[in-house]
Amino acid sequence: RAVFSSHGEIMRSVLANFQFNSRDCLLVDEPDAGEDIDGVMRIKNAFEKITKKGCQVIIATHHPFFLKNANLIELEHHYAEKLISLYKNV
């Protein structure tokens, strides 16, 4: 019998159980993939907890929740502004 976990379940489990410290750097691609808004917020809150421990978190994302209070590297000029304005109009 197979046991399956969603991307979000795996992400939350790692964030909750791995002991991150100030020497660590976590690189994550699209942590919001397949997540509803509650799942995205739980993942964002977990990232905030581990950054308080000094761990650096680098995220590749299109989700505006991850942009707040972040140091951004935009591959397209003003992408974050465009993205945020799109979500405000939805």
Side-chain angles (χ1 to χ4, degrees), residues 12-79:
R12 287 188 296 276
S13 177
V14 167
L15 294 174
N17 295 306
F18 191 83
Q19 298 300 313
F20 293 97
N21 63 51
S22 62
R23 295 182 310 260
D24 295 326
C25 178
L26 178 63
L27 176 61
V28 185
D29 184 27
E30 301 280 347
D32 49 292
E35 290 296 306
D36 62 10
I37 197 70
D38 292 330
V40 171
M41 291 308 297
R42 285 194 301 271
I43 291 169
K44 182 181 185 302
N45 291 338
F47 286 155
E48 289 173 355
K49 285 180 185 175
I50 65 173
T51 58
K52 287 179 182 174
K53 295 178 182 179
C55 177
Q56 183 178 23
V57 179
I58 302 170
I59 305 168
T61 186
H62 300 281
H63 205 292
F65 281 167
F66 291 107
L67 304 179
K68 186 177 180 182
N69 300 325
N71 296 319
L72 301 178
I73 299 171
E74 296 179 300
L75 301 179
E76 180 183 322
H77 196 57
H78 297 295
Y79 182 79

